[in-house]
Amino acid sequence: MDPTPSGNKKRHLYTHGSSRARTTGGCLDHNVLCIIFSFLDLFDLAHCSVVCKSWHVVINKSKLLQVFYMKQQKLDGSTSLEKPLNVYLEELAMERHKLALAKGSVVVNQWRGHSIGANQCRMKRGLLLTGGGDKVMRLWSLGNYKCLEEYSTPDSTSVVDFDFDESKIVGLLGSRICIWRRDGARSVFPPREGTFSKGLCMRYLDPEAVVGCEDGTVRVFDMYSKKCSRIIRMHTGPVTCLCMSDDQLVLSGSSLGNVSISSLSSDQQVSKLRTRDSTDLRALCFNPRSHLVFAGAASGNMSCWDIRTMRILWENRVSPNVLYSLQHLRNDSSTLVVGGIDGILRVLNQNTGEVVSRIVLAGSISSSRDKNGIVVRTRGARLAEDVHIDSVPKIIRPPITCLAVGMKKVVTTHNTKFIRLWKFS
């Protein structure tokens, strides 16, 4: 593509000397679009249905998704579906995700994201937020690895934890909370309301940010009034990890190896889940679909409970070293991705704790440079069951400090300058 002229002239939709505008997708009629869509597979068609309103109307009016689904499942056209079509499509998507993570080929794209070690990441809707030692958070497009926005911390304070949504970034800065609006404005909570015992972890679910503190409390802050609305006594030791449910349950792990559960409407813990080895917990996540809670410990142990019965379902030592991060796709009730100090990316069965696959880098394929920087493309390799971790060079398995899971992809940070996107197919 030619660079924009120095005069900053607007580019017209027609060529010089021609009065006819270029044809766009919106100009195509219903029948032409149906013909084009008929060449796609089921999931590409599902993606097209959410591109714009007009495509959504065409695909739904023609019942193309239903036709494609019936054909893929080899069902007779007269067969009626027992559940809404979107439920079946979601089940198919989760099955594809599960198979890709467990057995698919792996390609890893790596790019330089920070000047000093990036150790945190969050991923939502094709966007990735990273941060670390350079006291800057960056928002990336996972489509082209372009940095879309950058947020600096006040007084060059390091970010302990953060999260984001469509309109804002919420960050934990030691003993303060800071909000960055996506429009560029920044605000720090007033000292009286925003300062507290040292914060170690944070989760954000609009309109509240929940902070786990060194003194064993969990503090709930309202993002709009900028006030601390509740202080919940959860543990006698530091709160080391947090997660939240959509129905306002707060789950927190401690350095003493326990998980406490409370409600945002309460100021006391409601229940407590205990691990069998009472080791320092480092990572925690909750699956709202299966009602399972997963915890990773400094010992390399993983524990799983069902919060409906408050009973432990399984416990397994999945790593010989510290586990730093674990996560699953929101609607996935089969696989869990785990990372830690040994740098092995592990895929687990959520229901049994069995390690399904262990993955590391296998060597560089190619690199490319564009205006956004250099992206190095690398293969991922699955380790055989009999391969001992110590035999794998540390240079291809730097510690995984944080990870985020998307559809058939995982992003990892390693407390280095680089960010990695693992793509499974």
Side-chain angles (χ1 to χ4, degrees):
M1 183 182 292
D2 295 332
T4 304
S6 57
N8 246 350
K9 297 177 181 178
K10 293 182 180 179
R11 299 181 64 186
H12 297 285
L13 295 177
Y14 53 86
T15 56
H16 184 71
S18 172
S19 59
R20 189 168 65 179
R22 292 180 181 175
T23 301
T24 64
C27 299
L28 302 177
D29 68 16
H30 177 98
N31 292 331
V32 173
L33 283 172
C34 284
I35 293 171
I36 295 171
F37 291 148
S38 68
F39 289 97
L40 304 178
D41 67 17
L42 181 61
F43 287 98
D44 286 337
L45 185 62
H47 291 153
C48 287
S49 71
V50 295
V51 167
C52 63
K53 185 177 180 180
S54 61
W55 285 15
H56 177 81
V57 170
V58 169
I59 292 170
N60 279 275
K61 188 175 180 180
S62 60
K63 296 187 177 180
L64 278 174
L65 276 174
Q66 185 168 336
V67 171
F68 275 41
Y69 175 78
M70 302 286 276
K71 186 182 296 185
Q72 186 185 72
Q73 299 300 304
K74 299 179 180 178
L75 298 174
D76 186 82
S78 61
T79 304
S80 60
L81 300 177
E82 296 179 357
K83 295 181 285 187
L85 180 61
N86 64 317
V87 174
Y88 290 105
L89 293 176
E90 184 179 290
E91 290 173 352
L92 280 174
M94 291 303 104
E95 185 63 23
R96 276 196 173 191
H97 174 74
K98 170 187 171 182
L99 291 175
L101 262 59
K103 299 179 180 180
S105 61
V106 188
V107 171
V108 185
N109 290 335
Q110 174 180 285
W111 70 99
R112 178 169 172 164
H114 293 265
S115 58
I116 303 177
N119 54 28
Q120 293 283 336
C121 61
R122 300 285 182 270
M123 178 166 51
K124 293 178 182 177
R125 300 179 181 178
L127 297 176
L128 174 70
L129 184 66
T130 61
D134 58 2
K135 303 173 179 59
V136 172
M137 292 179 292
R138 293 190 170 97
L139 190 67
W140 305 87
S141 164
L142 288 178
N144 56 14
Y145 311 108
K146 178 182 179 181
C147 180
L148 304 175
E149 298 165 13
E150 186 174 288
Y151 308 92
S152 300
T153 62
D155 307 321
S156 297
T157 309
S158 294
V159 180
V160 177
D161 208 345
F162 54 76
D163 208 340
F164 74 105
D165 61 17
E166 299 87 347
S167 61
K168 57 185 169 295
I169 315 292
V170 180
L172 172 62
L173 312 177
S175 60
R176 291 183 297 168
I177 287 181
C178 188
I179 302 174
W180 293 261
R181 301 287 176 185
R182 294 283 298 275
D183 61 10
R186 183 183 72 190
S187 62
V188 180
F189 273 39
R192 182 177 296 176
E193 294 293 343
T195 304
F196 41 86
S197 172
K198 184 180 179 182
L200 303 178
C201 51
M202 186 203 74
R203 287 296 177 266
Y204 164 64
L205 185 63
D206 195 56
E208 293 171 311
V210 179
V211 177
C213 299
E214 197 173 46
D215 63 2
T217 62
V218 165
R219 296 173 185 249
V220 183
F221 293 89
D222 185 275
M223 295 294 96
Y224 299 98
S225 68
K226 296 186 179 179
K227 292 183 178 180
C228 179
S229 58
R230 280 175 298 286
I231 300 176
I232 308 171
R233 172 60 63 178
M234 297 286 269
H235 300 276
T236 55
V239 178
T240 52
C241 47
L242 277 173
C243 62
M244 297 173 65
S245 72
D246 292 339
D247 53 357
Q248 295 198 319
L249 282 181
V250 179
L251 300 94
S252 64
S254 80
S255 59
L256 303 178
N258 298 320
V259 175
S260 289
I261 303 174
S262 182
S263 169
L264 285 178
S265 60
S266 171
D267 60 358
Q268 297 293 328
Q269 69 170 14
V270 175
S271 185
K272 181 172 285 189
L273 308 173
R274 300 182 185 276
T275 58
R276 290 170 182 159
D277 65 352
S278 299
T279 310
D280 180 11
L281 297 183
R282 298 297 184 89
L284 196 65
C285 73
F286 171 66
N287 189 327
R289 172 153 294 190
S290 61
H291 304 284
L292 300 185
V293 181
F294 306 96
S299 63
N301 272 15
M302 283 280 303
S303 302
C304 172
W305 300 266
D306 188 326
I307 64 167
R308 293 168 296 188
T309 61
M310 298 297 174
R311 292 182 179 178
I312 192 165
L313 298 184
W314 54 261
E315 194 164 67
N316 184 21
R317 192 174 189 196
V318 302
S319 169
N321 303 106
V322 182
L323 299 176
Y324 285 137
S325 188
L326 51 98
Q327 202 182 82
H328 56 81
L329 199 61
R330 178 176 174 82
N331 294 325
D332 180 17
S333 56
S334 59
T335 54
L336 183 71
V337 184
V338 180
I341 199 170
D342 63 9
I344 306 292
L345 192 68
R346 290 176 172 84
V347 180
L348 272 63
N349 182 319
Q350 287 189 27
N351 300 300
T352 64
E354 173 194 3
V355 178
V356 177
S357 186
R358 300 181 301 164
I359 310 160
V360 295
L361 295 183
S364 178
I365 300 175
S366 64
S367 63
S368 61
R369 177 190 287 273
D370 60 18
K371 61 183 179 181
N372 300 320
I374 298 176
V375 176
V376 177
R377 191 166 181 255
T378 309
R379 291 189 187 92
R382 297 183 186 272
L383 300 179
E385 290 185 14
D386 58 351
V387 173
H388 196 275
I389 293 173
D390 291 338
S391 67
V392 182
K394 291 186 177 180
I395 193 170
I396 63 173
R397 55 177 185 92
I400 297 172
T401 57
C402 191
L403 61 83
V405 179
M407 177 59 73
K408 297 196 292 184
K409 58 178 173 282
V410 178
V411 173
T412 57
T413 57
H414 306 267
N415 204 27
T416 67
K417 301 174 183 178
F418 300 99
I419 303 164
R420 287 178 178 166
L421 172 62
W422 307 66
K423 292 185 175 182
F424 300 81
S425 59

